[in-house]
């Protein structure tokens, strides 16, 4: 089996791509989204809790769940809230 790295290892966490975007997280608990060219297209401004109940599910029907200040909401692929955190 041959493994090829297509995106350099530069994040502490990286999740599956869905609808062309993948959530990535750093070592200080912030996350954002990259495209398939490894370009950060949504800034690392959301909270990341890998040990907590927040499990990233990816984009579905143009929305992704995110956490900000302990509250959850949904963003679109441009990073704009469609459902504000509550």
């Amino acid at each position: 089996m041959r493994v090829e790295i297509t995106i350099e290892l530069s994040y502490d966490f990286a999740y599956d791509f869905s609808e062309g975007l993948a959530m990535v997280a750093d070592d200080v608990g912030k996350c954002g989204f990259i495209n398939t060219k490894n370009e950060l297209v949504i800034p690392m401004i959301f909270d990341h809790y890998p040990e907590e109940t927040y499990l990233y599910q990816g984009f579905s029907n143009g929305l992704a769940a995110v956490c900000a200040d302990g509250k959850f909401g949904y963003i679109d692929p441009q990073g704009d809230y469609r459902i504000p955190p509550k």
Side-chain angles (χ1 to χ4, degrees):
M1 180 167 109
R2 182 172 177 243
V3 176
E4 182 179 332
I5 295 177
T6 57
I7 293 178
E8 291 301 315
L9 305 173
S10 54
Y11 303 102
D12 282 10
F13 289 88
Y15 296 87
D16 293 336
F17 281 93
S18 60
E19 298 185 14
L21 299 174
M23 180 188 279
V24 293
D26 61 19
D27 62 348
V28 294
K30 291 297 180 183
C31 60
F33 292 81
I34 60 171
N35 62 18
T36 57
K37 296 177 183 176
N38 195 25
E39 298 167 330
L40 190 64
V41 295
I42 299 176
M44 308 275 277
I45 58 172
F46 303 105
D47 301 330
H48 182 246
Y49 302 111
E51 292 86 24
E52 300 294 328
T53 58
Y54 176 53
L55 298 174
Y56 173 64
Q57 299 295 312
F59 275 89
S60 177
N61 295 315
L63 297 175
V66 293
C67 183
D69 298 322
K71 299 176 182 176
F72 294 92
Y74 286 86
I75 60 169
D76 63 20
Q78 289 72 45
D80 297 320
Y81 282 108
R82 293 301 174 196
I83 300 174
K86 296 183 180 199

